[in-house]
Structures are given as C-alpha cells and as structure tokens.
C-alpha cells in the first residue's frame, strides 16, 4: 500500500508520518509539503532515511505538479493535513487560507479522481461547528451539528468539508472526513497557545491571554489524533464524518496556570490582552461515533500529557530555535504589539 501524507512537515502531519512509518514497515509513505513557515524538515529528521519513507517538496495548489506526482507514485490512500492552520493569521490574511485550505483540497481530489485513489481522507477540525455557550456544559458537537463558522480559518475548513462531500455525492470519490479538537504534543509550532506559553514562561516573558481567559478548548494529545486517523483510513466507512476528542475541556486560564505550576513560574507573568475578534467561546467534541463504530480510545490524559509536552519543549530547544525564523519573529511583533 502507498500512502500520500500532505502537510507532513507540520505539527500533526509530522507526528502522523512518525506514527505510520513505525507502525507499517511494509507500506510506503510519501510526504508532500510546501515547507511554509509552519513546515520544518527537522520534524522529519528521524525518519528521512527510512526505506518506506520519502519527502517531496511541493504545493498542493500546483495542479501540474500534483498531477505528475500522482501519475508517478500511484497512491492507494491520500491523507490531507496540508493547510494554513492558525486562526490569528487568518484574521490578518484570509486569502492564503482559501488558497491552501480550499483550492488545495480541490486540486488533490481532482488528482484522486483521475488516478482512481481508493481513499481521500480530509483532516478537518471541530472549529467548523462554530462554538458552544460557556454556561451549557451539557452541549457537545456531534457529526450532524450544523456548520457555523467564526473565523476565516474555520470558514475555509468548512468550505473544504462541503467540497469533499460534494465530490463524494457527485463523483462517488471515496472520501472520509475527521473533525478533531485542539491538539497538543511534540513538534507544535510556537504560535499556538501551549508551546507559546511554555516558551514565554521559560524566558520569564509576559503571557498574553486573550480576553478573560475563560474560553474553553477540548485538548487531545496529537498521537491520539494519529491513532484515530489510522483507524478511519483502514476501517472507516466511505462518505462518513468522524469527530475525534477525548473530553479534556479546560479554560485557557487553567491551561496557562498548569504550565506555570509545572515550570515553577509565578502567575504574575499572566497578562490579559485584547480579545481575538470573533473568539469562539467553547469547543467540546462528542466522540461516541468513532468510539462505538471503530473502537477508538485515547491513550493520553491531559494532566500527564501536558507534563510530557512541557518536557519535550524543554528538551528540544534546538528544534524550537530553528523553527523560529525571521518570519516568525515578525509575526510575534505584529500580533503582540500591545
Ligand atoms: P501546521 O500549520 O503545523 O502544519 C501545516 C503543514 O502544511 C506545514 O508543514 C505546511 O508547510 C504545510 N502546508 C501548508 N500549506 C501547504 C500547501 N499549500 N501545500 C503543501 N503543504 C502546505 O498545522 P497542524 O496544526 O499540523 O494542522 C494540520 C491539519 O490538522 C490542518 O488541516 C488543521 O486544519 C487540522 N487540525 C489541526 C488542529 C490543531 O489543534 N492543530 C486540530 C484539528 C485539526
Ligand atoms: P490556539 O492555540 O490559537 O488554537 P485555536 O484558536 O485554534 O483554538 O488558541 C487556543 C486558545 O488560546 C484560544 O481560545 C485562543 C487562546 N490564545 C490566547 O489566549 N493567547 C494567545 O497568545 C494565543 C495564541 C491563543
């Protein structure tokens, strides 16, 4: 079996490459990534010389390049992680989100149709469902919760989901979609909340919390996300959507205080800053479908997973300093100017 993993030099795609190359030594994996600011070859350093792994640099929006790659490689399965993934960046520059997250998906699916790929799996997000009120802990996102997006990022991901289902219905392209909650773990780019706070706390810098810090996210360890996608591409039903989440809801303030406690740093570092425009209040996944139908169960819980993730960040300073390019420094200055 030959599997294309797009966006494999990023956070979740990189973890998925490690997980799959290790677990399936007899399958072949090709990682396609444009190496944007968020993609880093060092994330793949440990597996670059494996017999069953190959890296190709390229853009999923480049029709000719994608067509040629599919013609040469004859993939059985395509798993699409490639995307612009940061909400704050989408607020500053929506266009690139529409290009990579929507046109890129169309380009990949056209190639899947042409070369009769047996499965196209789209890695989506729980953010397509919008948000839930803070005072209704009884409410969760189900697979049939209406799409109701807040940011250009989530709107681009929801657009892609609609397009994927349209290709299923119109062309019978064999597709699946997964919608996962917030991930944490090794190799996460330090623009996202958890690695950003670890880095700043370690340097005794102020920790920017949007609004009052009461927004809730449902955290899942990245390797639990990987095991869920593995199950979906092997056992999931074509044309279906699967929610992925482990019931680990925390307010942002709770997450930041946990990190400070583990690092032994004072809460006085916390600084409440201007809220994100359109900031989603609460995400919470109901994972019953994937649990019952595919037997998926998360291995990690947040309390131990976050300690391991903090340790990973402390132990991998070289990786962190290399991903912090000039572009990233400019972003920090622009985003956190007050
Ligand atoms: P990331 O930003 O860390 O990585 C994205 C990768 O895609 C990078 O390596 C980048 O170089 C590559 N890429 C971007 N545009 C490309 C293009 N046009 N062509 C080829 N490669 C391109 O993102 P992530 O956090 O690993 O997220 C991966 C996927 O998972 C995304 O689709 C995201 O929407 C989804 N997701 C993320 C989370 C989360 O908490 N991070 C949760 C649920 C779903
Ligand atoms: P983030 O990691 O960007 O993921 P998402 O917006 O996709 O959920 O943010 C997680 C939460 O943390 C979100 O509620 C926004 C908040 N946040 C801050 O309070 N400060 C920050 O500097 C960042 C990046 C995020």
């Amino acid at each position: 079996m030959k599997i294309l993993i797009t966006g494999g030099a990023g956070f979740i795609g990189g973890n998925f490459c490690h997980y799959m190359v290790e677990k399936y030594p007899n399958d072949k994996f090709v990682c396609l990534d444009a190496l944007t600011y968020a993609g880093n070859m060092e994330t793949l350093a440990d597996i670059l010389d494996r017999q069953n792994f190959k890296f190709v640099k390229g853009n999923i929006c480049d029709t000719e390049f994608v067509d040629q790659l599919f013609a040469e490689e004859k993939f059985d399965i395509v798993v699409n992680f490639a995307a612009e993934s940061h909400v704050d960046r989408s607020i500053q520059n929506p266009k690139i989100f529409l290009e990579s997250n929507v046109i890129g998906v169309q380009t990949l699916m056209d190639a899947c149709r042409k070369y009769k790929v047996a499965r196209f799996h789209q890695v989506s997000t729980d953010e397509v469902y919008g948000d839930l009120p803070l005072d209704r802990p009884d409410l969760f996102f189900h697979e049939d919760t209406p799409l109701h997006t807040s940011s250009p990022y989530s709107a681009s991901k929801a657009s892609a989901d609609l397009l994927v289902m349209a290709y299923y219905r119109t062309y019978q392209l064999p597709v699946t979609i997964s919608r996962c909650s917030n991930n944490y773990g090794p190799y996460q780019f330090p623009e996202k909340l958890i690695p950003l706070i670890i880095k700043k706390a370690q340097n005794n810098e102020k920790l920017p919390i949007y609004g009052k810090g009461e927004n809730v996210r449902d955290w899942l360890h990245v390797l639990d996300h990987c095991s869920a996608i593995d199950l979906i591409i092997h056992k999931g039903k074509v044309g279906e959507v699967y929610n992925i989440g482990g019931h680990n809801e925390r307010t942002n303030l709770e997450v930041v205080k946990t990190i400070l406690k583990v690092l032994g740093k004072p809460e006085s570092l916390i600084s409440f800053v201007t809220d994100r425009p359109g900031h989603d209040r609460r995400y919470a996944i109901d994972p019953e479908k994937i649990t019952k139908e595919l037997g998926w169960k998360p291995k990690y819980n947040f309390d131990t997973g976050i300690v391991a993730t903090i340790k990973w960040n402390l132990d991998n300073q070289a990786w962190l300093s290399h991903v912090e390019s000039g572009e990233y420094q400019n972003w920090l200055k622009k985003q956190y100017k007050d």
Side-chain angles (χ1 to χ4, degrees):
M1 183 121 79
K2 196 182 260 189
I3 302 182
L4 174 66
I5 301 171
T6 66
F11 165 46
I12 309 174
N15 277 282
F16 190 70
C17 286
H18 282 101
Y19 175 97
M20 296 296 279
V21 162
E22 209 55 66
K23 183 165 176 190
Y24 299 101
N26 297 324
D27 286 344
K28 292 215 169 341
F29 299 93
V30 176
C31 167
L32 164 64
D33 199 295
L35 297 179
T36 69
Y37 78 93
N40 196 291
M41 287 305 287
E42 276 184 60
T43 298
L44 299 170
D46 293 350
I47 52 171
L48 277 177
D49 60 355
R50 294 291 177 93
Q51 289 294 314
N52 63 340
F53 184 76
K54 180 162 121 185
F55 178 82
V56 180
K57 184 174 180 218
N59 196 311
I60 59 165
C61 302
D62 183 340
T63 311
E64 248 175 63
F65 166 81
V66 167
D67 187 272
Q68 203 182 330
L69 183 72
F70 275 63
E72 279 165 16
E73 297 283 358
K74 306 197 174 24
F75 299 115
D76 299 293
I77 298 177
V78 173
V79 184
N80 180 34
F81 292 93
E84 289 293 328
S85 67
H86 191 34
V87 172
D88 293 323
R89 285 183 190 257
S90 81
I91 295 168
Q92 293 206 12
N93 177 17
K95 191 163 189 255
I96 179 82
F97 284 72
L98 298 182
E99 287 163 0
S100 290
N101 300 4
V102 186
I103 301 300
V105 175
Q106 171 245 317
T107 308
L108 287 174
M109 289 196 299
D110 283 343
C112 287
R113 283 181 64 209
K114 184 169 169 190
Y115 295 99
K116 306 213 178 332
V117 171
R119 177 72 68 86
F120 175 76
H121 181 73
Q122 170 67 1
V123 180
S124 185
T125 163
D126 61 354
E127 302 196 23
V128 299
Y129 298 123
D131 63 351
L132 297 163
L134 292 176
D135 59 357
R136 289 292 307 274
D138 55 313
L139 297 181
F140 294 91
F141 295 138
H142 306 280
E143 283 78 0
D144 57 1
T145 299
L147 304 188
H148 187 80
T149 56
S150 314
S151 69
Y153 163 68
S154 56
S156 70
K157 295 296 288 184
S159 305
D161 284 11
L162 292 173
L163 198 61
V164 171
M165 294 317 285
Y167 270 55
Y168 172 61
R169 176 151 177 178
T170 306
Y171 308 116
Q172 291 81 50
L173 185 73
V175 303
T176 38
I177 295 177
S178 54
R179 295 182 181 145
C180 189
S181 59
N182 285 62
N183 283 210
Y184 68 98
Y187 301 111
Q188 186 165 31
F189 195 79
E191 65 186 353
K192 304 283 166 57
L193 181 72
I194 289 180
L196 181 86
I197 296 297
I198 298 171
K199 187 183 74 126
K200 283 184 174 288
Q202 221 187 318
N203 297 335
N204 299 310
E205 290 172 33
K206 288 199 163 178
L207 312 178
I209 308 223
Y210 300 158
K212 295 183 186 145
E214 60 193 10
N215 305 59
V216 172
R217 296 294 182 265
D218 184 1
W219 294 98
L220 188 77
H221 193 279
V222 63
L223 291 176
D224 284 328
H225 189 182
C226 294
S227 70
I229 294 174
D230 177 17
L231 268 179
I232 296 169
I233 60 176
H234 288 105
K235 294 195 188 143
K237 208 171 141 214
V238 161
E240 293 288 316
V241 173
Y242 295 91
N243 281 353
I244 310 170
H247 287 301
N248 274 306
E249 289 180 50
R250 298 283 188 286
T251 66
N252 293 337
L253 203 50
E254 283 170 335
V255 170
V256 173
K257 285 186 176 175
T258 303
I259 295 171
L260 287 172
K261 203 167 162 207
V262 175
L263 288 173
K265 297 287 182 178
E267 290 187 5
S268 56
L269 289 176
I270 290 173
S271 164
F272 293 98
V273 299
T274 313
D275 209 353
R276 171 187 282 173
H279 196 171
D280 280 335
R281 293 160 296 175
R282 171 175 169 251
Y283 301 144
I285 281 276
D286 174 4
E288 191 179 323
K289 177 172 172 179
I290 189 165
T291 307
K292 283 209 169 136
E293 289 184 16
L294 306 184
W296 175 79
K297 256 207 265 164
K299 269 197 196 157
Y300 295 81
N301 75 57
F302 188 74
D303 295 327
T304 50
I306 189 74
V307 175
T309 300
I310 293 169
K311 185 172 179 330
W312 188 91
N313 276 266
L314 298 182
D315 291 346
N316 287 273
Q317 296 295 322
W319 181 87
L320 278 165
S321 64
H322 295 160
V323 301
E324 293 176 359
S325 62
E327 191 279 342
Y328 173 67
Q329 298 303 334
N330 292 340
W331 163 256
L332 283 182
K333 274 192 209 125
K334 204 161 148 197
Q335 173 69 5
Y336 299 105
K337 57 181 178 296
D338 352 317

